Amino acid sequence: MTEPQPFSPKSVALLEEIRKKYPTGRAALMPALYVAQEEFGWLRPEALKAVAEFLGLPEMTVRSTATFYSMYRHRKAGRNVIRLCTNVSCMVLGAGTLKGVLGNVYGLAPGGTSPDGRFSLEVADCIGACGKGPAMIVNDDLHTGLDAKKILEVLENYK
Ligand code: FES
């Protein structure tokens, strides 16, 4: 008897597309990890195991890749994930203040989740919007030109 498939049919379709697109399982690993993260919200051990099985890779290969890159989550996240850039340009433009605002208003610390589960906060090295900082990505949405007022207005749209 085979084990139950841990992925939804939608994720299985995506994984099959990815597997066809790349020449080896190893080459397909990073996009496959994104699919797993989307499916489960974070890369829990069962998700890593499922990716390894799906791609025919050793679990250790999958685990070491997943833990090397900061965009993969290894803890359960809140309903909305904030990635706040704290690299030099954004820091000069006020990212430190924004980090303080997120702590005061939502009880968020880097790597943590608000007590109500609404937000998780990750700090990012650079999200490619250096000229328009401070910047953050919430889920898949980029927000730039933030200040203490604007960040709260933006986050009001994420329940
Ligand atoms: S330094 Fe913040 S987006 Fe590049």
Side-chain angles (χ1 to χ4, degrees), residues 85-91 124-135 142:
C85 176
T86 56
N87 208 337
V88 179
S89 297
C90 285
M91 278 309 255
D125 279 338
C126 179
I127 54 176
C130 319
K132 296 179 182 172
L142 175 66

Side-chain angles (χ1 to χ4, degrees), residues 40-44 73-79 81 111-113 120:
F40 302 111
W42 62 294
L43 291 175
R44 59 187 194 198
R73 286 190 294 280
H74 302 284
R75 283 190 293 264
K76 193 172 187 318
R79 295 189 297 283
V81 177
T113 298
S120 287

